[in-house]
């Protein structure tokens, strides 16, 4: 029996994780990240699904589907859409579960346009600058919150 269901969403260019700017994003691939998350989730009795898209509408469709399929939480790295997408914010505002925003790099140490996040207006927590471990921290926080509920 699953304790909960979580959706991990990865935004544009994260399919290149491990090969794109490894000095910023590291050498782990997206499959490495997702497999480690799924392994931890299963050990805790959770179901974890992940999805990556370079297309804003596909990410929004995944959020809409999560509203209807029993998903209780979303971990999202909206990547560049963090700074531009009111549409993703609106979709997340229609989702009733918990939302954690994750960024691999510390966006506040980068270009000034990266300092603003639309998604943060909805997020229950924001993790930035921990590398891919930020995803693990978000999952730990979700599991701990659910255990307290």
């Amino acid at each position: 029996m699953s304790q909960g269901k979580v959706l991990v969403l990865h935004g544009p260019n994260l399919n290149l994780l491990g090969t794109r700017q490894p000095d910023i994003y590291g050498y782990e691939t997206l499959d490495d990240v997702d497999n480690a998350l799924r392994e931890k989730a299963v050990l805790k009795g959770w179901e974890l699904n992940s999805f990556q898209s370079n297309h804003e509408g596909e990410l929004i469709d995944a959020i809409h589907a999560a509203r209807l399929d029993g998903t209780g939480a979303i971990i999202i790295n909206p990547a560049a859409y963090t700074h531009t997408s009111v549409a993703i914010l609106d979709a997340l505002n229609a989702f009733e579960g918990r939302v954690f925003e994750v960024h691999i790099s510390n966006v506040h140490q980068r270009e000034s346009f990266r300092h603003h996040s639309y998604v943060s207006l909805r997020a229950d927590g924001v993790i930035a600058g921990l590398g891919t471990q930020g995803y693990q921290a978000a999952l730990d926080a979700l599991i701990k919150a659910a255990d307290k509920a």
Side-chain angles (χ1 to χ4, degrees), residues 98-149:
R98 295 181 59 83
V99 174
F100 272 77
E101 178 182 358
V102 173
H103 298 283
I104 295 168
S105 68
N106 182 349
V107 293
H108 303 288
Q109 289 183 332
R110 298 184 65 195
E111 304 93 337
S112 61
F113 71 86
R114 295 186 194 276
H115 299 176
H116 178 265
S117 168
Y118 285 103
V119 172
S120 291
L121 296 170
R122 168 57 180 91
D124 296 295
V126 179
I127 300 166
L130 297 181
T132 57
Q133 286 302 112
Y135 290 101
Q136 294 282 337
L139 183 59
D140 288 341
L142 290 171
I143 292 169
K144 188 172 184 176
D147 287 346
K148 289 182 178 181

Side-chain angles (χ1 to χ4, degrees), residues 1-147:
M1 178 84 174
S2 178
Q3 291 293 321
K5 187 173 180 180
V6 61
L7 173 64
V8 180
L9 290 176
H10 306 283
N13 298 309
L14 288 168
N15 56 303
L16 301 177
L17 197 60
T19 61
R20 174 184 167 240
Q21 295 176 284
D23 55 314
I24 295 174
Y25 301 109
Y27 290 95
E28 279 185 285
T29 67
L30 195 59
D31 283 342
D32 294 336
V33 171
D34 286 340
N35 290 336
L37 287 170
R38 196 168 292 107
E39 201 172 288
K40 177 181 277 191
V42 167
L43 287 173
K44 298 291 187 174
W46 284 63
E47 179 182 341
L48 185 138
N49 296 302
S50 60
F51 178 71
Q52 187 277 329
S53 181
N54 294 317
H55 305 281
E56 184 178 31
E58 289 183 355
L59 294 166
I60 292 166
D61 288 344
I63 295 165
H64 289 181
R67 295 179 66 225
L68 305 173
D69 70 4
T71 296
I74 294 174
I75 297 171
I76 183 169
N77 182 343
Y81 290 135
T82 302
H83 323 292
T84 63
S85 184
V86 173
I88 289 175
L89 170 63
D90 287 347
L92 289 169
N93 280 333
F95 178 75
E96 294 182 9
R98 295 181 59 83
V99 174
F100 272 77
E101 178 182 358
V102 173
H103 298 283
I104 295 168
S105 68
N106 182 349
V107 293
H108 303 288
Q109 289 183 332
R110 298 184 65 195
E111 304 93 337
S112 61
F113 71 86
R114 295 186 194 276
H115 299 176
H116 178 265
S117 168
Y118 285 103
V119 172
S120 291
L121 296 170
R122 168 57 180 91
D124 296 295
V126 179
I127 300 166
L130 297 181
T132 57
Q133 286 302 112
Y135 290 101
Q136 294 282 337
L139 183 59
D140 288 341
L142 290 171
I143 292 169
K144 188 172 184 176
D147 287 346

